[in-house]
Short mmCIF file of all heavy atoms in Angstrom, two decimals:
data_model
loop_
_atom_site.label_atom_id
_atom_site.label_comp_id
_atom_site.label_asym_id
_atom_site.label_seq_id
_atom_site.Cartn_x
_atom_site.Cartn_y
_atom_site.Cartn_z
N TYR A 186 -21.28 23.46 0.18
CA TYR A 186 -22.53 24.20 0.43
C TYR A 186 -23.36 23.51 1.51
O TYR A 186 -24.02 24.17 2.31
CB TYR A 186 -23.31 24.25 -0.89
CG TYR A 186 -24.44 25.24 -0.91
CD1 TYR A 186 -24.24 26.54 -1.35
CD2 TYR A 186 -25.71 24.88 -0.49
CE1 TYR A 186 -25.29 27.45 -1.37
CE2 TYR A 186 -26.75 25.78 -0.50
CZ TYR A 186 -26.54 27.07 -0.95
OH TYR A 186 -27.57 27.97 -0.95
N LEU A 221 -13.58 14.78 -7.61
CA LEU A 221 -13.82 16.19 -7.96
C LEU A 221 -14.84 16.80 -7.03
O LEU A 221 -15.87 16.17 -6.76
CB LEU A 221 -14.39 16.24 -9.38
CG LEU A 221 -13.39 16.47 -10.49
CD1 LEU A 221 -12.79 17.86 -10.38
CD2 LEU A 221 -12.29 15.44 -10.51
N GLY A 223 -17.13 20.35 -6.66
CA GLY A 223 -17.49 21.67 -7.13
C GLY A 223 -17.82 22.51 -5.91
O GLY A 223 -17.00 22.63 -4.98
N ASN A 224 -19.05 23.01 -5.86
CA ASN A 224 -19.47 23.79 -4.69
C ASN A 224 -20.17 22.91 -3.66
O ASN A 224 -20.72 23.41 -2.69
CB ASN A 224 -20.39 24.93 -5.13
CG ASN A 224 -20.51 26.00 -4.07
OD1 ASN A 224 -19.59 26.20 -3.29
ND2 ASN A 224 -21.65 26.65 -4.01
N GLY A 225 -20.20 21.61 -3.92
CA GLY A 225 -20.83 20.70 -2.95
C GLY A 225 -22.30 21.01 -2.72
O GLY A 225 -22.82 20.75 -1.64
N SER A 226 -22.99 21.49 -3.74
CA SER A 226 -24.40 21.82 -3.55
C SER A 226 -25.30 20.67 -3.98
O SER A 226 -26.53 20.77 -3.93
CB SER A 226 -24.78 23.11 -4.28
OG SER A 226 -24.62 22.95 -5.67
N ASN A 227 -24.67 19.59 -4.43
CA ASN A 227 -25.46 18.40 -4.76
C ASN A 227 -24.76 17.15 -4.23
O ASN A 227 -24.88 16.08 -4.79
CB ASN A 227 -25.62 18.29 -6.29
CG ASN A 227 -26.78 17.41 -6.65
OD1 ASN A 227 -27.86 17.57 -6.11
ND2 ASN A 227 -26.55 16.44 -7.50
N LEU A 228 -24.06 17.34 -3.13
CA LEU A 228 -23.13 16.32 -2.69
C LEU A 228 -23.18 16.15 -1.18
O LEU A 228 -23.16 17.14 -0.44
CB LEU A 228 -21.73 16.82 -3.07
CG LEU A 228 -20.62 15.83 -3.32
CD1 LEU A 228 -21.03 14.80 -4.37
CD2 LEU A 228 -19.38 16.59 -3.81
N ILE A 284 -29.03 28.66 -9.33
CA ILE A 284 -28.49 27.31 -9.04
C ILE A 284 -27.09 27.48 -8.42
O ILE A 284 -26.18 27.98 -9.08
CB ILE A 284 -28.43 26.45 -10.34
CG1 ILE A 284 -29.84 26.29 -10.92
CG2 ILE A 284 -27.80 25.10 -10.04
CD1 ILE A 284 -29.92 25.50 -12.22
N PRO A 285 -26.92 27.06 -7.16
CA PRO A 285 -25.69 27.43 -6.44
C PRO A 285 -24.49 26.53 -6.71
O PRO A 285 -23.70 26.26 -5.80
CB PRO A 285 -26.11 27.35 -4.97
CG PRO A 285 -27.15 26.29 -4.96
CD PRO A 285 -27.85 26.34 -6.28
N GLY A 286 -24.34 26.05 -7.94
CA GLY A 286 -23.21 25.16 -8.24
C GLY A 286 -22.18 25.82 -9.12
O GLY A 286 -22.33 26.97 -9.53
N THR A 287 -21.12 25.07 -9.42
CA THR A 287 -20.09 25.52 -10.34
C THR A 287 -20.46 25.07 -11.76
O THR A 287 -21.36 24.24 -11.95
CB THR A 287 -18.74 24.88 -9.98
OG1 THR A 287 -18.90 23.45 -10.07
CG2 THR A 287 -18.28 25.27 -8.59
N GLY A 289 -18.59 23.15 -13.58
CA GLY A 289 -18.28 21.71 -13.64
C GLY A 289 -19.42 20.88 -13.08
O GLY A 289 -19.86 19.90 -13.70
N GLY A 290 -19.93 21.28 -11.92
CA GLY A 290 -21.03 20.54 -11.29
C GLY A 290 -22.31 20.63 -12.11
O GLY A 290 -23.09 19.68 -12.20
N ALA A 291 -22.51 21.79 -12.76
CA ALA A 291 -23.73 21.98 -13.56
C ALA A 291 -23.71 21.08 -14.80
O ALA A 291 -24.73 20.51 -15.18
CB ALA A 291 -23.88 23.45 -13.96
N PHE A 293 -21.97 18.23 -15.01
CA PHE A 293 -22.04 16.86 -14.49
C PHE A 293 -23.50 16.45 -14.26
O PHE A 293 -23.92 15.35 -14.56
CB PHE A 293 -21.26 16.79 -13.16
CG PHE A 293 -21.13 15.41 -12.59
CD1 PHE A 293 -19.97 14.68 -12.76
CD2 PHE A 293 -22.18 14.83 -11.88
CE1 PHE A 293 -19.85 13.40 -12.22
CE2 PHE A 293 -22.07 13.56 -11.35
CZ PHE A 293 -20.91 12.84 -11.52
N MET A 294 -24.28 17.38 -13.66
CA MET A 294 -25.67 17.08 -13.29
C MET A 294 -26.66 17.42 -14.40
O MET A 294 -27.84 17.21 -14.24
CB MET A 294 -26.06 17.91 -12.06
CG MET A 294 -25.35 17.56 -10.78
SD MET A 294 -25.55 15.84 -10.32
CE MET A 294 -27.33 15.72 -10.16
N ALA A 296 -27.64 20.37 -14.88
CA ALA A 296 -28.51 21.15 -13.99
C ALA A 296 -29.57 21.88 -14.80
O ALA A 296 -29.34 22.29 -15.94
CB ALA A 296 -27.66 22.15 -13.20
N GLY A 297 -30.72 22.03 -14.18
CA GLY A 297 -31.81 22.72 -14.86
C GLY A 297 -32.85 23.22 -13.90
O GLY A 297 -32.87 22.81 -12.73
N ALA A 298 -33.68 24.11 -14.37
CA ALA A 298 -34.75 24.65 -13.54
C ALA A 298 -35.73 25.39 -14.44
O ALA A 298 -35.33 25.94 -15.47
CB ALA A 298 -34.18 25.64 -12.51
N ARG A 332 -30.88 15.34 -15.20
CA ARG A 332 -29.92 15.33 -14.07
C ARG A 332 -28.86 14.24 -14.25
O ARG A 332 -28.49 13.55 -13.29
CB ARG A 332 -30.63 15.16 -12.72
CG ARG A 332 -31.66 16.19 -12.43
CD ARG A 332 -31.09 17.63 -12.37
NE ARG A 332 -32.19 18.57 -12.37
CZ ARG A 332 -32.66 19.15 -13.50
NH1 ARG A 332 -32.07 18.94 -14.68
NH2 ARG A 332 -33.66 19.97 -13.47
N ASP A 341 -14.12 11.77 -16.67
CA ASP A 341 -13.66 13.09 -17.16
C ASP A 341 -13.61 14.11 -16.03
O ASP A 341 -14.40 14.06 -15.09
CB ASP A 341 -14.63 13.64 -18.22
CG ASP A 341 -14.50 12.94 -19.56
OD1 ASP A 341 -13.49 12.24 -19.78
OD2 ASP A 341 -15.41 13.12 -20.39
N VAL A 343 -14.09 18.13 -15.93
CA VAL A 343 -14.47 19.29 -16.76
C VAL A 343 -13.57 20.47 -16.40
O VAL A 343 -13.42 20.81 -15.23
CB VAL A 343 -15.95 19.68 -16.52
CG1 VAL A 343 -16.31 20.90 -17.36
CG2 VAL A 343 -16.87 18.52 -16.80
N ARG A 369 -37.91 31.21 -6.36
CA ARG A 369 -36.96 30.43 -5.57
C ARG A 369 -36.96 30.90 -4.10
O ARG A 369 -37.08 30.10 -3.18
CB ARG A 369 -35.56 30.65 -6.15
CG ARG A 369 -34.75 29.43 -6.27
CD ARG A 369 -33.47 29.78 -6.99
NE ARG A 369 -33.39 29.10 -8.26
CZ ARG A 369 -33.11 27.82 -8.41
NH1 ARG A 369 -32.85 27.07 -7.37
NH2 ARG A 369 -33.07 27.26 -9.60
N LEU A 375 -33.67 28.86 1.70
CA LEU A 375 -32.30 29.26 1.35
C LEU A 375 -31.51 29.77 2.55
O LEU A 375 -30.31 29.99 2.47
CB LEU A 375 -32.35 30.34 0.25
CG LEU A 375 -33.06 29.90 -1.03
CD1 LEU A 375 -33.08 31.02 -2.05
CD2 LEU A 375 -32.43 28.66 -1.64
N SER A 379 -28.12 23.18 2.44
CA SER A 379 -28.89 22.02 1.97
C SER A 379 -28.23 21.54 0.69
O SER A 379 -27.23 22.10 0.25
CB SER A 379 -30.34 22.40 1.68
OG SER A 379 -30.43 23.08 0.43
N CYS A 380 -28.83 20.49 0.09
CA CYS A 380 -28.32 20.07 -1.21
C CYS A 380 -29.42 20.23 -2.25
O CYS A 380 -29.47 19.51 -3.24
CB CYS A 380 -27.80 18.65 -1.16
SG CYS A 380 -28.98 17.53 -0.42
N GLY A 381 -30.33 21.16 -2.02
CA GLY A 381 -31.42 21.39 -2.98
C GLY A 381 -32.39 20.23 -2.94
O GLY A 381 -32.59 19.59 -1.90
P1 FAD B 198 -20.98 19.30 -6.52
O1 FAD B 198 -22.17 19.11 -5.65
O2 FAD B 198 -19.72 19.74 -5.88
O3 FAD B 198 -20.71 17.96 -7.32
C1 FAD B 198 -21.74 17.27 -8.01
C2 FAD B 198 -21.08 16.17 -8.86
O4 FAD B 198 -20.36 16.81 -9.90
C3 FAD B 198 -20.05 15.35 -8.07
O5 FAD B 198 -20.20 13.99 -8.45
C4 FAD B 198 -18.71 15.92 -8.49
O6 FAD B 198 -17.68 14.96 -8.44
C5 FAD B 198 -19.01 16.34 -9.93
N1 FAD B 198 -18.16 17.45 -10.38
C6 FAD B 198 -18.09 18.69 -9.86
N2 FAD B 198 -17.23 19.44 -10.57
C7 FAD B 198 -16.73 18.66 -11.55
C8 FAD B 198 -15.79 18.85 -12.60
N3 FAD B 198 -15.16 20.01 -12.79
N4 FAD B 198 -15.54 17.81 -13.42
C9 FAD B 198 -16.14 16.60 -13.26
N5 FAD B 198 -17.02 16.37 -12.28
C10 FAD B 198 -17.34 17.37 -11.43
N6 FAD B 198 -29.90 21.73 -9.27
C11 FAD B 198 -30.62 21.88 -10.40
O7 FAD B 198 -30.38 21.17 -11.38
N7 FAD B 198 -31.62 22.82 -10.49
C12 FAD B 198 -31.93 23.64 -9.44
O8 FAD B 198 -32.82 24.46 -9.56
C13 FAD B 198 -31.17 23.50 -8.23
N8 FAD B 198 -31.45 24.28 -7.17
C14 FAD B 198 -30.72 24.14 -6.04
C15 FAD B 198 -31.01 24.96 -4.94
C16 FAD B 198 -30.29 24.83 -3.77
C17 FAD B 198 -30.59 25.73 -2.60
C18 FAD B 198 -29.26 23.86 -3.67
C19 FAD B 198 -28.45 23.72 -2.43
C20 FAD B 198 -28.97 23.04 -4.75
C21 FAD B 198 -29.69 23.17 -5.94
N9 FAD B 198 -29.43 22.35 -7.05
C22 FAD B 198 -30.16 22.50 -8.19
C23 FAD B 198 -28.40 21.31 -6.97
C24 FAD B 198 -26.98 21.77 -7.39
O9 FAD B 198 -26.80 23.15 -7.17
C25 FAD B 198 -26.66 21.44 -8.83
O10 FAD B 198 -26.77 20.04 -9.08
C26 FAD B 198 -25.26 21.91 -9.23
O11 FAD B 198 -25.11 21.75 -10.61
C27 FAD B 198 -24.15 21.13 -8.53
O12 FAD B 198 -22.92 21.82 -8.75
P2 FAD B 198 -21.73 21.80 -7.68
O13 FAD B 198 -20.61 22.58 -8.21
O14 FAD B 198 -22.24 22.18 -6.34
O15 FAD B 198 -21.35 20.26 -7.73
#
Side-chain angles (χ1 to χ4, degrees):
Y186 194 91
L221 265 294
N224 197 29
S226 63
N227 200 49
L228 207 54
I284 300 178
T287 60
F293 186 100
M294 293 303 300
R332 303 299 168 266
D341 285 345
V343 178
R369 223 174 245 285
L375 302 179
S379 78
C380 50

